[in-house]
Amino acid sequence: MSKKIIVIAILSLSILSCANKENSNNIDQLISSKNVKALQERKAILQADITKIEEALATLDVKKEEALVDVATVKDTLFNHYLEIQGSVDTKENILVQPEYSGLLTSLTVTAGQRVTKGQILGRVDDAGMSQQLANAENQYALAKTTYERQKNLWDKKIGSEIQYLQAQTQMVSAQKGVAQIKAQLAKTVIRAPFSGTIDEVFVEKGQVVGPSAQGLMRIVNLGNMFVSTSVPETYIGKLKVGTEVDVFLTSLGKTYVGKVRQVGNFINPNNRSFGIEVSIPNPDNMLRPNQVAKLKIIDYTNKTAIVVPTNIVQEDGEGNKFIYTVEGSNGKTGTAKKVVVEVGKSSDNVTEILSGLTENDIIVTEGVNNISEGMKLNF
């Protein structure tokens, strides 16, 4: 250290001596006089002195800067890139039950929260005397049928006229149709579950006059056939197929479900240049609900032997080159920083694919990259 001080002192005295000799032609005077030749001579003298100082410092035992960093060894790994989009949970089995027949609600057999099966009776509407009409129609049909059978027996024996036989047959068929028609109308007074599910809400009460309305009688939902619908940019046509696996993250639940694309739209929306998809998702714990917000991650690129690094360690120099710092001469605890220019690929989940510049088993700096420069000694 003392040697360094002595050399610097000698050089400083030399520079001061030169400055005294040239005092008559100081820099300000030279500039004001616009003496180009004299300015060039003065510049050459100063540059020579600076060069001497740098050479002297280079011969001294100056300790290099050191930095404490974290490092990692690069390995080949599976890299997936995802298309991330937002969608909405839905189910096609979510409807408002409407009465097919208007009238007094004489029976209501379910309550909110109750599980029902397809075809189960949920309620009945007053039939306005159709039951009695059905009984009368059935009696008329029975009589017409008996008359027809007797007339047919006679006609088979060549007794009576063909006209009588045909008239009896026509009356029987007409009576049969009348019974079927009344039964069909009567069936509309019975309210049945269109599919198996849960009664979510009931909007009416027994004894109330009901009819088709915007509100309906009740809402029935089946949470066993859930899906997420969303729109995808048209650039992904051909990349998404039925059966493609999708990670579905439910923000409200903080949980990820694995679904599959079950439908891919065939129409491009001209307003936003996108097409629709549906992703089926399981609901084993019965926690999914229609209209929940979902975040979808769809794999659109895979590299089974990729070199990846944390995205935050990739830097860019003044020439626009991407680079990272690696460790040279590592002995397990120390090494030297080396700037390596790399070609980057896609980024996903906070890691970036490196296409060139790194190989397996290279040691990279993962923490402290902003505090180092090439050639600096590293401790880790």
Side-chain angles (χ1 to χ4, degrees), residues 98-107 121-131 182-192 210 217:
Q98 300 282 1
E100 294 184 85
Y101 192 80
S102 299
L104 185 69
L105 187 65
T106 58
S107 173
I121 296 176
L122 309 178
R124 294 178 184 271
V125 176
D126 181 44
D127 61 21
M130 276 195 294
S131 296
I182 296 175
K183 282 184 175 180
Q185 290 295 318
L186 196 59
K188 293 181 179 180
T189 66
V190 181
I191 304 162
R192 297 181 183 273
V210 297
L217 303 179

Side-chain angles (χ1 to χ4, degrees), residues 349-361:
D349 289 337
N350 299 317
V351 296
T352 296
E353 180 186 26
I354 303 300
L355 301 178
S356 64
L358 284 182
T359 58
E360 190 176 12
N361 296 322

Side-chain angles (χ1 to χ4, degrees), residues 33-90:
S33 66
K34 300 181 180 180
N35 190 334
V36 176
K37 184 177 180 181
L39 285 170
Q40 290 176 338
E41 291 175 351
R42 176 57 61 87
K43 179 181 177 182
I45 293 172
L46 293 175
Q47 285 180 336
D49 290 337
I50 292 173
T51 300
K52 290 178 181 179
I53 293 174
E54 290 178 344
E55 291 175 350
L57 290 174
T59 62
L60 299 177
D61 185 19
V62 179
K63 185 178 180 181
K64 293 184 177 180
E65 289 185 285
E66 297 183 3
L68 181 64
V69 297
D70 289 338
V71 299
T73 302
V74 173
K75 298 292 183 183
D76 288 348
T77 186
L78 173 67
F79 173 75
N80 290 321
H81 182 266
Y82 299 91
L83 164 66
E84 298 189 34
I85 51 178
Q86 185 169 294
S88 178
V89 178
D90 204 351

Side-chain angles (χ1 to χ4, degrees), residues 260-320:
K260 289 186 177 181
V261 176
R262 74 177 192 183
Q263 181 177 328
V264 178
N266 297 312
F267 171 75
I268 301 297
N269 187 330
N271 296 322
N272 56 14
R273 310 307 307 173
S274 67
F275 60 95
I277 64 169
E278 288 184 2
V279 178
S280 62
I281 46 177
N283 190 20
D285 47 9
N286 213 38
M287 294 296 290
L288 299 181
R289 297 290 185 274
N291 301 315
Q292 280 178 305
V293 175
K295 294 182 179 178
L296 281 66
K297 293 175 65 176
I298 306 173
I299 297 176
D300 62 355
Y301 169 79
T302 297
N303 186 345
K304 295 182 179 180
T305 57
I307 297 292
V308 298
V309 300
T311 300
N312 64 326
I313 74 169
V314 180
Q315 303 183 73
E316 185 174 333
D317 60 23
E319 297 178 356

